[in-house]
Amino acid sequence: MIAAPHFDVAVVGAGPAGSAAALVLARGGRRVVIIEKAVPPRYKTCGGGLLVRTLLLLPFDIRSVVERECFTAELHHHAPGLSFSARRERPVVSMVMRDRFDQLLTTAAQNSGAELFAGTSVLEVASRSDGVELKTSTGLVTARFVIAADGAGSLVARRAGLPELRHVLPALECEVTVDAARFEKFRHAARFDFGLTPHGYAWVFPKREHLSIGVLTTRRGSCNLNDEYARYLAHLGLDGPVKEERHGHMIPVRPREKMFAVPRILLVGDAAGLADPVTAEGISAAILSGQLAAQSILEGTDVQRAYREKLQTTLLPELRVARVLARVLYDFPRVRAALFARHGQRLSELLTRVVMGETSYRDAVRRPEDYLKLFRKRRP
Ligand SMILES: Cc1cc2nc3c(=O)[nH]c(=O)nc-3n(C[C@H](O)[C@H](O)[C@H](O)COP(=O)(O)OP(=O)(O)OC[C@H]3O[C@@H](n4cnc5c(N)ncnc54)[C@H](O)[C@@H]3O)c2cc1C
């Protein structure tokens, strides 16, 4: 009988969280395998907008897969009809297609020594005293530790007995090709629209030759996203595109509280519920949590606790503040409209500074003069 291949760490999922973790572990000299059910490059439902804070986490240049750099972010608020824009010398958002971006990250991990089992689904997870046994579609794999980077519907989390993620946002992403004249109108800026989609927002992210257009809501069941998307296209004057592909998926914006790890299994990225509740951006948290989980394993003592502590000093306080801001933004449309009417440009700048990594949500609320000003009347 052939023995199951054994690794120091098995990473389930070759998204940004999994590949970031595998890269750190491989560079740290661990024998690591990434088990991915698809065969890269695979499509991933995502706007593919990378923020500066995402790029800062990556230890290599990703320009080869960037389709477009947007130096301007446009923020529109409907009813009242208001528009603001924030421009920077550096790109505010770098646009990628996730198939190529994710493959670049996975290849970097492989080049550092990680193995990739592609086209292999993890089906069952069994804990043992000295490690974890994974039953996969191509055979058994054993490892001392498992990193669950298998996304919002994490099978590993379910098999490990962890509860379902509590707050996931339904989102629709459409890859839209339009004629050259209409493409020209939208190709220069990352565009965000509030006040159209109930309890959510809509966006246009220009890629090399097409537009990624999406809608999301923070309240499940409050609207039909297909209808909202059609309304948004009509609003933009983009109905009747040349070509269109629609994809729906969930974005988890509520962390798993204290359940980020069980013995020998650490959850990262969407599997841990770490996307930003204000922007629904999840790639930076995926990469950072993957790196933190890997570092905890490399350090080697009380891995579970070390990982939780690292999250508690980095991502979690930021997400807590973001959750409060998201409530104001999405649950109180009148307050939001009033804030935009009075201080839209200031809000756009503040949000841009957060996504540029120039400030954090925490710093913004720590300096009361910044947000108290938002509630004061403008001088005539
Ligand atoms: C519509 C939409 C738009 C978004 N736009 C943005 C954006 O513009 N910017 C941004 O930063 N974030 C965005 N996000 C969020 C972002 O896509 C996620 O937060 C991010 O992909 C999380 O990365 P991850 O590595 O944790 O998981 P994923 O990227 O989901 O990767 C999980 C991987 O695990 C694999 N897998 C799953 N189950 C198994 C299994 N049983 N066995 C083996 N492999 C398995 C999957 O095939 C997949 O490759 C968006 C999300 C949605 C839905």
Side-chain angles (χ1 to χ4, degrees):
M1 199 174 90
I2 303 168
H6 182 75
F7 296 89
D8 294 321
V9 186
V11 177
V12 184
S19 294
L23 178 65
V24 172
L25 288 160
R27 286 187 175 177
R30 297 300 187 272
R31 189 168 178 225
V32 52
V33 62
I34 307 174
I35 305 173
E36 167 57 52
K37 70 177 175 189
V39 177
R42 57 95 181 90
Y43 181 83
K44 161 77 179 89
T45 305
C46 183
L50 302 185
L51 309 180
V52 177
R53 67 182 183 196
T54 315
L55 303 183
L56 291 174
L57 290 167
L58 291 169
F60 50 84
D61 193 347
I62 60 143
R63 264 174 295 185
S64 62
V65 297
V66 172
E67 300 225 339
R68 188 170 293 278
E69 293 181 323
C70 291
F71 294 79
T72 303
E74 281 180 13
L75 219 154
H76 300 266
H77 196 289
H78 302 263
L82 300 163
S83 295
F84 309 94
S85 75
R87 197 180 154 73
R88 290 290 190 276
E89 293 300 312
R90 284 188 300 161
V92 182
V93 190
S94 298
M95 303 295 182
V96 297
M97 289 305 289
R98 285 287 302 275
D99 51 356
R100 292 180 65 217
F101 172 71
D102 287 16
Q103 191 178 29
L104 184 78
L105 264 54
T106 308
T107 304
Q110 285 178 278
N111 289 343
S112 295
E115 288 185 49
L116 172 67
F117 290 180
T120 302
S121 293
V122 169
L123 305 172
E124 297 294 339
V125 180
S127 285
R128 293 173 171 176
S129 57
D130 58 345
V132 182
E133 188 178 272
L134 299 174
K135 184 178 166 202
T136 80
S137 54
T138 55
L140 281 184
V141 172
T142 61
R144 289 185 55 235
F145 289 96
V146 166
I147 292 184
D150 50 345
S154 178
L155 174 133
V156 176
R158 275 181 279 136
R159 294 291 186 267
L162 292 169
E164 295 269 308
L165 285 163
R166 274 177 44 212
H167 197 155
V168 288
L169 314 184
L172 194 63
E173 180 73 49
C174 307
E175 310 299 348
V176 178
T177 307
V178 294
D179 55 73
R182 291 191 293 175
F183 183 64
E184 176 60 25
K185 205 172 144 204
F186 291 95
R187 77 181 173 89
H188 301 282
R191 175 181 174 132
F192 303 86
D193 287 79
F194 292 86
L196 273 178
T197 316
H199 305 287
Y201 79 92
W203 64 90
V204 182
F205 285 180
K207 302 293 166 64
R208 188 171 294 129
E209 287 173 350
H210 78 279
L211 304 171
S212 292
I213 301 182
V215 286
L216 66 80
T217 179
T218 59
R219 210 174 271 186
R220 283 172 101 162
S222 67
C223 60
N224 176 323
L225 284 182
N226 279 303
D227 294 347
E228 294 306 322
Y229 166 70
R231 238 157 44 92
Y232 187 45
L233 271 198
H235 174 82
L236 297 170
L238 290 177
D239 33 359
V242 177
K243 206 173 110 201
E244 180 194 73
E245 267 177 50
R246 288 189 196 194
H247 305 269
H249 204 64
M250 295 290 176
I251 310 177
V253 292
R254 181 68 68 92
R256 285 185 177 272
E257 304 296 337
K258 297 186 175 70
M259 309 296 278
F260 296 108
V262 293
R264 295 188 180 275
I265 302 178
L266 310 183
L267 277 76
V268 296
D270 274 7
L274 296 175
D276 178 334
V278 173
T279 59
E281 179 264 340
I283 299 174
S284 56
I287 293 171
L288 180 59
S289 59
Q291 292 170 338
L292 296 177
Q295 279 157 15
S296 306
I297 292 174
L298 290 180
E299 287 162 16
T301 43
D302 202 346
V303 170
Q304 207 176 320
R305 184 165 163 195
Y307 177 49
R308 202 171 49 238
E309 283 176 1
K310 287 187 201 317
L311 287 177
Q312 258 153 11
T313 52
T314 53
L315 273 168
L316 297 184
E318 189 65 0
L319 291 178
R320 269 197 292 277
V321 177
R323 218 156 46 233
V324 177
L325 298 177
R327 280 215 67 191
V328 177
L329 207 53
Y330 299 116
D331 289 352
F332 299 97
R334 286 208 191 129
V335 176
R336 184 190 62 214
L339 283 174
F340 271 91
R342 282 188 190 166
H343 301 291
Q345 189 59 39
R346 183 194 288 276
L347 279 171
S348 309
E349 291 293 341
L350 189 67
L351 205 55
T352 306
R353 283 176 54 214
V354 172
V355 303
M356 297 290 292
E358 294 166 0
T359 189
S360 61
Y361 293 126
R362 263 184 300 168
D363 281 343
V365 298
R366 211 178 273 146
R367 297 214 320 257
E369 67 275 14
D370 269 6
Y371 60 94
L372 284 178
K373 275 183 203 157
L374 298 176
F375 292 94
R376 280 187 210 132
K377 282 213 163 70
R378 264 186 320 202
R379 292 225 174 94

